[in-house]
């Protein structure tokens, strides 16, 4: 005997058949979906969310995992825009709670990705943003107790981030002490330190490190790149410093290494000066743009190597 339409048994049978023949729905938000299609969509997103959570571990998170959570969030939001089913298969409150959960998951992923490198500041801000979004959603959905969990995570995030940054800064200072101040590795470490300071919002210390790097580059004979084309009369190092220089890098690495240091130096200065010295920021950014162009990269590098060949018979 077939179940009576719209009865509990009727819907249980539909759900049973769905699980037997699981297929990803091809729902279009602009089309009219019946209750069964909405339920299938809801279950599909739920299953996808459950699979994603299995990868939300410190040693598993990456950009692919992050993008999956973001895609799941968008799917839940699309479903929320539709009218809930006529029968209480799920409610709008259920979807809003799911959305808050995924926002918290995204924040957790950013938190796990929040290392001590130059990208740490971005990950920290994103984690903080999504935790606050989740809190707002939980509170609006009368889940204030759950929101407290996010507040605790924000507090722990701030502590962990500061510890990581402080640890990395200490490590970089120890590295500087172990290197010769006349080496490119020393200057590269100075720029790494400046980028950490900048990511942590300490523009004053970042600027000090960058200006010190620029000064040492000139002191060591590594000619500053300018808006004009580099010519054979513009060497990248002095003859008296050639031996130390070549002990650190071979001739094929010289132009590329020096150029990359200047590119990072100019880009960081352009970011620091963009609010307090707009013209200076524009000048440095123009230098970076010129150095990023293919033609600009090729010609100066060839000219540098030609200069080395002519002066040192490399």
């Amino acid at each position: 005997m077939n179940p009576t339409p719209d009865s509990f048994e009727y819907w249980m049978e539909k759900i049973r058949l769905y699980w037997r023949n699981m297929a990803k729905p091809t729902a279009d938000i602009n089309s009219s979906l019946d209750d069964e299609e909405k339920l299938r969509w809801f279950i599909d997103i739920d299953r996808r969310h459950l699979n994603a959570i299995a990868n939300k571990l410190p040693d598993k998170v990456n950009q692919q995992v992050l993008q999956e959570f973001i895609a799941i969030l968008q799917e839940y939001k699309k479903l929320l825009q539709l009218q809930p089913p006529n029968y209480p298969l799920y409610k709008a409150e259920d979807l809003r709670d799911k959305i808050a959960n995924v926002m918290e998951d995204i924040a957790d992923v950013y938190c796990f990705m929040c290392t001590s490198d130059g990208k740490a500041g971005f990950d920290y801000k994103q984690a903080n943003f999504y935790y606050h979004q989740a809190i707002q959603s939980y509170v609006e959905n009368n889940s204030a107790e759950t929101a407290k969990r996010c507040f605790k995570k924000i507090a722990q995030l701030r502590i962990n981030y500061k510890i990581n940054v402080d640890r990395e800064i200490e490590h970089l200072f120890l590295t500087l002490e172990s290197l010769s101040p006349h080496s490119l590795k020393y200057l590269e470490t100075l720029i790494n330190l400046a980028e950490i300071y900048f990511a942590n919002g300490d523009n004053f210390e970042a600027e000090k490190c960058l200006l010190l790097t620029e000064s040492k580059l000139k002191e060591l004979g590594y000619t500053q790149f300018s808006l004009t084309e580099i010519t054979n009369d513009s060497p990248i190092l002095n003859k008296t410093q050639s031996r130390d220089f070549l002990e650190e890098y071979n001739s094929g690495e010289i132009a590329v290494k020096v150029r990359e240091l200047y590119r990072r130096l100019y880009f960081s200065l352009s970011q620091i000066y963009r609010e307090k010295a707009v013209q200076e920021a524009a000048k440095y950014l123009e230098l970076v743009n010129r150095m990023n162009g293919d033609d600009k990269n090729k010609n100066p590098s060839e000219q540098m190597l030609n200069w080395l060949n002519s002066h040192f018979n490399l």
Side-chain angles (χ1 to χ4, degrees):
M1 182 176 180
N2 294 327
T4 304
D6 298 338
S7 66
F8 176 78
E9 290 79 10
Y10 171 82
W11 284 108
M12 283 298 296
E13 178 65 14
K14 278 188 171 292
I15 293 172
R16 186 184 67 79
L17 291 173
Y18 167 76
W19 284 107
R20 178 183 296 175
N21 302 299
M22 177 67 73
K24 187 174 181 178
T26 56
D28 181 355
I29 197 169
N30 295 317
S31 65
S32 177
L33 302 180
D34 61 26
D35 285 0
E36 181 182 1
E37 289 172 318
K38 291 175 184 177
L39 177 62
R40 288 179 60 197
W41 194 2
F42 178 81
I43 295 174
D44 180 75
I45 305 171
D46 246 13
R47 177 182 288 270
R48 189 176 172 185
H49 185 200
L50 186 62
N51 291 335
I53 289 176
N55 292 318
K56 199 187 70 173
L57 296 170
D59 59 338
K60 287 189 174 182
V61 295
N62 52 36
Q63 281 296 324
Q64 184 177 356
V65 173
L66 174 63
Q67 292 306 316
E68 176 65 5
F69 276 111
I70 292 175
I72 291 168
L73 176 62
Q74 296 306 316
E75 287 294 298
Y76 275 130
K77 287 183 175 181
K78 288 179 183 177
L79 186 56
L80 183 61
Q81 293 178 35
L82 301 179
Q83 288 293 328
N86 295 318
Y87 295 90
L89 303 173
Y90 67 82
K91 298 180 291 185
E93 289 77 8
D94 297 329
L95 282 176
R96 283 193 284 268
D97 196 52
K98 296 282 186 182
I99 288 172
N101 288 338
V102 180
M103 286 178 174
E104 185 178 354
D105 289 332
I106 293 173
D108 288 342
V109 172
Y110 272 117
C111 189
F112 291 142
M113 294 171 65
C114 188
T115 58
S116 56
D117 57 21
K119 187 174 171 290
F122 174 79
D123 291 333
Y124 168 77
K125 290 176 182 177
Q126 290 297 99
N128 194 60
F129 170 79
Y130 277 102
Y131 277 137
H132 279 96
Q133 289 290 302
I135 288 169
Q136 182 178 344
S137 295
Y138 283 135
V139 171
E140 290 175 352
N141 211 31
N142 297 317
S143 301
E145 287 301 315
T146 311
K148 289 181 181 179
R149 180 177 65 205
C150 290
F151 278 116
K152 291 180 180 178
K153 288 184 176 181
I154 289 174
Q156 190 60 48
L157 171 67
R158 291 171 178 168
I159 293 172
N160 292 343
Y161 178 68
K162 188 177 188 309
I163 290 174
N164 284 338
V165 169
D166 289 346
R167 185 183 296 124
E168 181 64 13
I169 289 174
E170 181 180 1
H171 169 72
L172 290 174
F173 271 116
L174 290 174
T175 302
L176 287 173
E177 291 177 2
S178 68
L179 295 171
S180 166
H182 303 295
S183 68
L184 284 180
K185 289 180 181 178
Y186 182 92
L187 301 181
E188 184 178 16
T189 304
L190 264 181
I191 293 180
N192 291 340
L193 181 60
E195 289 174 346
I196 291 291
Y197 277 131
F198 179 72
N200 199 37
D202 193 342
N203 288 1
F204 178 76
E205 290 296 333
E207 183 182 9
K208 278 175 57 178
C209 290
L210 293 170
L211 294 179
L212 177 59
T213 303
E214 186 176 33
S215 173
K216 283 189 172 294
L217 278 166
K218 295 177 182 179
E219 177 186 329
L220 294 174
Y222 307 141
T223 302
Q224 178 182 7
F225 286 89
S226 66
L227 291 174
T228 59
E229 287 289 342
I230 293 177
T231 67
N232 290 331
D233 296 327
S234 301
I236 58 172
L237 67 158
N238 292 333
K239 268 189 176 181
T240 56
Q241 291 145 350
S242 62
R243 186 173 300 279
D244 292 338
F245 184 83
L246 294 174
E247 284 177 358
E248 189 176 4
Y249 294 98
N250 62 50
S251 59
E253 297 173 321
I254 294 172
V256 175
K257 194 66 181 178
V258 174
R259 190 174 189 79
E260 177 60 16
L261 288 177
Y262 269 113
R263 189 194 65 78
R264 289 175 62 191
L265 171 66
Y266 290 154
F267 179 76
S268 296
L269 286 173
S270 72
Q271 298 303 298
I272 290 174
Y273 291 145
R274 62 183 178 181
E275 292 184 1
K276 68 175 185 178
V278 178
Q279 291 183 346
E280 282 292 300
K283 180 189 74 175
Y284 284 119
L285 192 57
E286 185 178 356
L287 284 166
V288 173
N289 291 335
R290 285 172 177 259
M291 293 171 70
N292 284 339
D294 291 339
D295 293 337
K296 302 296 181 183
N297 282 334
K298 181 178 178 182
N299 294 336
S301 297
E302 289 180 350
Q303 291 169 356
M304 289 176 196
L305 292 176
N306 289 337
W307 187 89
L308 284 169
N309 289 328
S310 65
H311 284 71
F312 302 109
N313 298 318
L314 299 176

